[in-house]
Amino acid sequence: MIHAVLDPFVEFAFMRRALVGCLAISMTAPPIGVFLMLRRMSLMGDAMGHAILPGAAIGYLLAGLSLFAMSLGGFAAGLAVALAAGLVARSRVIREDASLAGFYLISLSLGVFLVSVHGTNVDLLHVLFGSVLALNDAALLLVASIATVSLVTLAVIYRPLVLECFDPYYLRSVSNWSSPTHLIFLVLVVLNLVAGFQALGTLMAVGIMLLPAVGARFWADNAGGMIAVAIAAALLSSFAGLLISYHYNVPTGPTVILACGAFYLFSMLAGRRGGALWGLMPAKHLEA
Amino acid sequence: MSAPAISFHNLTLGYDRHPAVHHITGEVAQGALLAVVGSNGAGKSTLLKAIVGELKPLSGRLDLHGNGKRDIAYLPQVVDIDRGFPISVFDCVAMGLWHETGASGGLDPSCDVRVAEALEAVSLTGLASRPVGALSGGQFQRVLFARLLLQDAKIILLDEPFRAVDARTIADLIRLIGQWQSEGRTVIAVLHDIELVRRYFPETLLLARDVLAWGETPSVLTPVNLDRSRRFDEAFDDHAAVCHHDEARETA
């Protein structure tokens, strides 16, 4: 048993790299997901995933399969969409979800247009679904740097971010943190998706961001607790996903995300805060 | 009369050029306890929004006499608060200390004591560790009052603070407002309950887009004035002519 768990990582460098990459992402993406969920912007992660794809594709068309070009392209495209959507929403004529939908659809169609004009390539599947078993030093460094930067930033803006989610009116009435907090948070979302797509691909990156976060809501009653649970769940899912994909020879990225999905389903059933199974065994009510 | 806390100089406020508050001039004294009364759409909330700086004047001037964000606490009518958010009553009330803690300052033990005192003042002591989602509407309104209490502001603006609140809670909250006034704070409250205003608020501003009356409550809330207030037509005219009130006044 111990061998089955440890041997793949002892024997193969690519498994160790994959593990390090996944652990780094598991530390940083779930907290972002928790706040996306608390802001009721869960689907924004998905939209941003699409917004990043064309930028990465353009980077690929210009510079080939270059990590730097694709990351930069993805980051630029994602940031442009997120900031444009955020600023338009600040004007309060249309809500953020509507303005985001508008901008990401433009970005997505522009990307598909460009790729089609320049001829398609099968390697683009790499962008879509990642290649967690082929992470090189540069990719690991990028993922680790993004994880570090985003965790430190999150610590700095934690209180304003909680208030911005809970009671934005109040935050605006006592300080000037509201808009900066919101925009910094959007940048973090994009950064984390860029980090995620190196390993898991643009679509899967959203999964490791959100699935542990929504599952965590069934276990904790405060933002800090949710973040702790979400990170733990993501770490565990990454580890389990890598092992399963190794032993059963199945694609790695989707397996990791499916492990996250299993955690979500399990939480929905067994979570201490509103899990379905607890509802089947109602405890007697208290006196007061 | 003591020094003014807020002065309106021929101030007009509104949305898309349509005035909601029309040419208001006057002063709110420091330590005043002012009720703002009027029909729906009379501009009461708009006036408070202008004082907190959420709305820029269409014309005229608003003078806060050096009072900044730090000095004004505001309880809006429509609280855009996510009641399902996982946060405890204690943490929510502690946000009232923002001016001292800022974005990253810690809460020292003396802060914990003050939060506990604020909760006690609104009779919520036992609920400190519960999530805000578990509170009733009236209890939540008390939480917001406790937070206001900690903000320790010189000017306190309340927009319909007694919505969905039972009689006992109203009495508690009124007592808090009285305490604020005795501490020399300026309190402006938008209210609908005329009897409440008569009993507890020495000064009243009766709005119907224009100022109908402003002064001591008994002289403002006369049957004649209230009747005029009731006949206020809130609909704005899409083809309303441009207002030349200012120019007329200057040439007069």
Side-chain angles (χ1 to χ4, degrees):
Chain A
M1 174 68 188
I2 265 279
H3 286 289
V5 172
L6 291 183
D7 279 359
F9 301 106
V10 175
E11 269 177 51
F12 298 106
F14 72 86
M15 283 299 282
R16 286 199 295 278
R17 288 168 175 282
L19 184 65
V20 170
C22 281
L23 294 190
I25 295 169
S26 301
M27 299 284 288
T28 169
I32 301 288
V34 166
F35 280 106
L36 274 177
M37 186 188 100
L38 290 178
R39 300 211 57 171
R40 301 181 184 181
M41 284 162 53
S42 301
L43 290 177
M44 181 199 170
D46 195 37
M48 291 310 302
H50 286 91
I52 281 172
L53 172 65
I58 291 170
Y60 170 76
L61 287 175
L62 293 179
L65 207 57
S66 142
L67 167 81
F68 181 73
M70 280 164 48
S71 298
L72 194 70
F75 182 66
L79 199 63
V81 169
L83 292 186
L87 289 174
V88 170
R90 291 268 120 175
S91 74
R92 298 202 221 160
V93 178
I94 53 176
R95 286 184 183 265
E96 180 135 28
D97 61 334
S99 70
L100 183 70
F103 282 109
Y104 105 75
L105 288 167
I106 293 173
S107 174
L108 182 60
S109 48
L110 185 69
V112 172
F113 176 83
L114 284 172
V115 170
S116 308
V117 166
H118 289 81
T120 50
N121 194 306
V122 200
D123 284 339
L124 268 180
L125 278 178
H126 174 91
V127 179
L128 274 171
F129 297 111
S131 51
V132 68
L133 299 182
L135 288 176
N136 57 20
D137 283 351
L140 274 187
L141 210 60
L142 182 81
V143 170
S145 316
I146 289 179
T148 309
V149 168
S150 79
L151 279 178
V152 170
T153 311
L154 204 58
V156 173
I157 64 166
Y158 184 78
R159 185 177 290 157
L161 189 55
V162 166
L163 251 189
E164 172 76 11
C165 301
F166 173 59
D167 189 357
Y169 248 124
Y170 177 71
L171 182 63
R172 247 177 275 149
S173 80
V174 293
S175 79
N176 297 318
W177 274 87
S178 178
S179 292
T181 300
H182 184 61
L183 294 178
I184 291 171
F185 178 65
L186 290 179
V187 172
L188 287 185
V189 173
V190 177
L191 264 180
N192 276 276
L193 288 172
V194 169
F197 94 69
Q198 295 301 331
L200 300 164
T202 49
L203 302 181
M204 300 289 159
V206 184
I208 203 160
M209 187 176 272
L210 281 168
L211 281 170
V214 291
R217 185 67 182 91
F218 289 96
W219 299 99
D221 250 350
N222 58 72
M226 284 172 66
I227 288 173
V229 173
I231 289 178
L235 289 172
L236 209 65
S237 304
S238 298
F239 193 67
L242 281 173
L243 277 180
I244 293 170
S245 92
Y246 175 85
H247 286 299
Y248 296 93
N249 197 22
V250 286
T252 314
T255 310
V256 169
I257 304 303
L258 280 175
C260 293
F263 164 72
Y264 171 53
L265 293 177
F266 171 71
S267 304
M268 250 175 12
L269 290 175
R272 207 60 199 84
R273 313 274 174 202
L277 290 182
W278 296 99
L280 295 179
M281 315 180 263
K284 279 206 154 185
H285 67 82
L286 308 174
E287 274 198 343
Chain B
M1 200 167 175
S2 60
I6 303 167
S7 308
F8 309 112
H9 300 284
N10 195 22
L11 180 70
T12 295
L13 306 161
Y15 310 90
D16 295 330
R17 291 181 71 201
H18 292 285
V21 174
H22 210 192
H23 299 293
I24 175 172
T25 296
E27 283 177 351
V28 182
Q30 266 177 35
L33 180 49
L34 173 70
V36 181
V37 180
S39 326
N40 291 336
K44 308 180 296 293
S45 301
T46 305
L47 190 64
L48 296 196
K49 279 184 198 164
I51 297 173
V52 284
E54 217 173 274
L55 194 68
K56 297 265 167 294
L58 291 182
S59 74
R61 207 159 54 79
L62 173 76
D63 190 353
L64 294 173
H65 300 280
N67 290 311
K69 263 195 168 142
R70 167 76 187 80
D71 306 301
I72 301 176
Y74 171 49
L75 181 63
Q77 176 184 21
V78 183
V79 275
D80 187 14
I81 291 181
D82 179 4
R83 291 276 297 278
F85 194 91
I87 188 171
S88 70
V89 168
F90 183 95
D91 287 349
C92 175
V93 172
M95 298 285 192
L97 293 168
W98 177 279
H99 290 300
E100 291 163 49
T101 61
S104 52
L107 286 174
D108 57 39
S110 76
C111 295
D112 291 357
V113 172
R114 282 161 64 201
V115 173
E117 282 168 1
L119 283 170
E120 199 187 333
V122 297
S123 332
L124 282 180
T125 306
L127 298 177
S129 58
R130 308 218 57 190
V132 293
L135 299 184
S136 74
Q139 284 170 331
F140 189 67
Q141 196 71 358
R142 287 159 181 259
V143 166
L144 296 180
F145 262 77
R147 190 172 71 180
L148 275 178
L149 213 58
L150 286 179
Q151 278 185 267
D152 192 26
K154 286 190 221 156
I155 300 173
I156 297 166
L157 309 173
L158 308 168
D159 200 344
E160 297 193 25
F162 304 136
R163 243 167 321 124
V165 170
D166 65 15
R168 206 188 83 197
T169 306
I170 290 181
D172 286 352
L173 299 181
I174 286 274
R175 212 179 51 239
L176 270 181
I177 292 175
Q179 196 184 323
W180 282 332
Q181 196 211 6
S182 65
E183 290 165 356
R185 303 178 204 274
T186 310
V187 181
I188 305 179
V190 170
L191 293 169
H192 278 298
D193 186 339
I194 299 292
E195 284 317 306
L196 207 70
V197 174
R198 284 214 172 95
R199 278 180 65 187
Y200 298 105
F201 287 77
E203 200 184 337
T204 300
L205 164 62
L206 186 60
L207 268 182
R209 191 172 302 150
D210 298 278
V211 175
L212 288 185
W214 186 356
E216 285 178 17
T217 301
S219 67
V220 170
L221 296 180
T222 59
V224 177
N225 280 341
L226 287 175
D227 188 48
R228 280 169 68 203
S229 159
R230 261 177 234 120
R231 272 184 285 148
F232 165 67
D233 179 11
E234 62 185 286
F236 63 62
D237 183 353
D238 263 330
H239 306 287
V242 173
C243 172
H244 292 296
H245 186 106
D246 293 317
E247 290 85 341
R249 173 174 292 192
E250 274 157 26
T251 51

